[in-house]
Amino acid sequence: MKFKKTIKKLLKSESTAHPGVTKIGDTKPLKTRLHENIQFIKENLGNSSDLIIREIRISKKNNIKLAIFYTDGLADTQSLNNFVLEPLMLEMRKMEFDQDIYSNPNVALQLMKDEVLTVSGITDVVDFDTLLTTILEGDIVILMDGSAWGLKVGMRGWEDRGVQEPSAQTVIRGPKEGFSESIRTNTALIRRRIKDPNLWLETKQIGERTKTDVALMFIKGIVNDKVLDEVHKRLDRINIDGILESGYIEELIQDETYTPFPTVYNTERPDAIAAGLLEGRIAILVDGTPFVLLVPALFGQFLQSSEDYYQRWDISNLIRLLRYIALAISLLGPSLYIAVTTFHQEMLPTPLLISLAAQREGVPFPAFVEALLMEVTFEILREAGVRMPRAIGQAVSIVGALVIGQAAVEAGIVSAAMVIVVAITAISSFVIPSFNMAISIRILRFGLMGFAASFGLLGVTLGLIAILLHMSSLRSFGVPYMSPFGPFNPSDQKDMIFRVPIGKMLTRPHLISQKNETRGQNEPASKPERE
């Protein structure tokens, strides 16, 4: 009885065709004949073997014909059988329909959408561009003979890696969940941490051929609207045939192309993204990669770790101080050694100077060539350890470094002091939490070595001034890269080099949010009275 009332209501409607058909614009509309639609789809997909076309009849009199299209391996075939094919081929045949429905395919299709299919996420398809994209994304499309529109049913079901522990940014204390290659899994991990209706998600497709899903996540009321508009403009300007990883997006939207410093932060940790969103930043998620982008990104952010906020504030401050010391060693270690041993020997104590002179007595190269040789060798070993099979990569890199270093010293090619300096420099570079920033420091290290070999400590000083001036000129979506150091903001110093207790971190970074800066108000805990 219920279905008869629904059918009568549909039959009484003024329009028997889908209203979107006349509003397609430049796209090619679907045809009313099913076999013509099937032929067009096959030709445009090259008769691909993974294109599945299931033609069925859903009425007892066999006069309602439809076809189901999907890509094998991308669609969830089990859900397709249970929630689409079974209702259409079994349940719908049992229903008693008026004869008028057989002469009006649009009514039958609308009835399937409203009363028969037991799945969510059903939308209309009226043109071939949307239809082909839907099939290639993993959803299914249902077309009926005699109707110039169809149904898109969300049934993506490809295999993914699932939620695993992050491999690039590990912590001792903190969540062990990491992003995966599925954009829906990643958005769910963020929403699990921020249960706020103001956490908005906007999705767009980028790439003429890959049509990669790119999502923006931000908290409305906290995010800077000017920065959000700028992110939208830069994403909309992208005109490229394919986006295969978030690195494509990062390079296409960054403020400055010719700089060694990263101006877009990337991480595979959901808690780091959630913390950035709460500060007013914008997350950019790209389907097919576990690395999520966060903008704006400042220099101090690359030296912070999620674990800094999970340990006590005094422990976190000690670790952060060690990071800045490691940054200085990684950047200046070899250049200072070259400058002092080449131009400023008077700065060394006499016993140490005699020891270094004795070590370098049989070395045929100057200090700069010696350091350059060892640095390049270590970089080769580091890269080889990453690219080699995991089972032997680490062992080969460690043994190779020990054997080559010992053999080079015994052969008189390099001095033992140089091996120590290069080793300490390499170890210090691993302390930097961000891989991008560590690579930048490694690049600048070679330039400072050249300045040190040419002008001594004066060259090192000039190189540092040039680096600081360049960093001060950088912007990340309009925000100064060196803030809150320059321009100096005293209120934002509570979470840069040192971190104050969380109870006193009650404001967001001024240049990031610029509205709704108050994060809360905590009163200090009162001590219990002594009995």
Side-chain angles (χ1 to χ4, degrees), residues 176-392:
K176 305 298 181 181
E177 293 178 333
F179 289 122
S180 69
E181 285 73 16
S182 173
I183 191 172
R184 279 294 159 259
T185 302
N186 297 341
T187 56
L189 289 172
I190 297 175
R191 286 198 179 276
R192 180 182 174 185
R193 287 163 172 79
I194 304 178
K195 304 176 182 66
D196 187 352
N198 291 318
L199 178 60
W200 289 10
L201 174 66
E202 298 178 1
T203 305
K204 56 184 68 181
Q205 287 187 338
I206 301 178
E208 293 294 330
R209 299 191 181 276
T210 60
K211 292 182 173 59
T212 306
D213 290 330
V214 178
L216 295 180
M217 294 193 77
F218 55 90
I219 300 179
K220 189 66 175 178
I222 297 179
V223 67
N224 190 332
D225 293 330
K226 293 182 179 179
V227 176
L228 180 61
D229 293 339
E230 182 65 24
V231 173
H232 276 293
K233 290 179 182 178
R234 296 188 186 185
L235 290 178
D236 294 337
R237 285 200 303 261
I238 296 177
N239 185 11
I240 192 172
D241 60 348
I243 299 294
L244 302 179
E245 212 272 340
S246 58
Y248 284 62
I249 300 292
E250 177 179 350
E251 192 167 343
L252 290 170
I253 67 173
Q254 60 186 355
D255 290 63
E256 183 66 37
T257 302
Y258 301 103
T259 178
F261 294 99
T263 55
V264 178
Y265 186 77
N266 70 83
T267 179
E268 55 180 340
R269 297 192 59 86
D271 55 335
I273 296 297
L277 292 174
L278 292 173
E279 290 182 343
R281 291 182 167 90
I282 303 168
I284 304 175
L285 299 89
V286 180
D287 192 24
T289 175
F291 288 91
V292 177
L293 307 180
L294 196 65
V295 294
L298 309 181
F299 172 74
Q301 184 179 355
F302 293 92
L303 293 175
Q304 298 173 356
S305 173
S306 299
E307 196 173 6
D308 294 348
Y309 307 93
Y310 307 145
Q311 302 284 0
R312 283 173 46 88
W313 67 275
D314 49 353
I315 299 175
S316 299
N317 288 335
L318 174 61
I319 296 175
R320 281 194 181 181
L321 182 60
L322 290 176
R323 287 199 197 110
Y324 279 92
I325 294 175
L327 174 69
I329 295 175
S330 178
L331 180 64
L332 301 173
S335 58
L336 290 178
Y337 178 83
I338 293 172
V340 171
T341 56
T342 305
F343 294 96
H344 311 282
Q345 297 91 345
E346 67 278 2
M347 296 180 63
L348 298 175
T350 302
L352 178 59
L353 181 61
I354 294 174
S355 176
L356 293 177
Q359 294 178 24
R360 292 190 47 80
E361 184 176 0
V363 177
F365 306 112
F368 172 69
V369 176
E370 185 183 1
L372 187 64
L373 180 64
M374 289 302 300
E375 285 288 345
V376 171
T377 302
F378 187 84
E379 293 296 332
I380 293 174
L381 288 172
R382 188 208 306 257
E383 191 67 17
V386 173
R387 306 302 170 194
M388 291 183 68
R390 186 171 300 179
I392 61 175

Side-chain angles (χ1 to χ4, degrees), residues 110-129:
Q110 189 66 36
L111 181 70
M112 289 166 44
K113 177 182 177 181
D114 297 339
E115 301 287 350
V116 178
L117 296 178
T118 59
V119 292
S120 60
I122 302 179
T123 56
D124 299 335
V125 177
V126 297
D127 62 274
F128 280 108
D129 290 343

Side-chain angles (χ1 to χ4, degrees), residues 430-473:
F430 289 115
V431 179
I432 302 174
S434 174
F435 183 72
N436 284 5
M437 182 58 69
I439 293 179
S440 302
I441 298 303
R442 285 156 55 184
I443 295 174
L444 295 172
R445 183 194 307 157
F446 287 95
L448 289 178
M449 288 166 54
F451 277 101
S454 302
F455 308 105
L457 290 179
L458 176 62
V460 176
T461 304
L462 293 176
L464 286 176
I465 293 174
I467 292 173
L468 289 176
L469 290 176
H470 173 71
M471 294 174 66
S472 300
S473 67

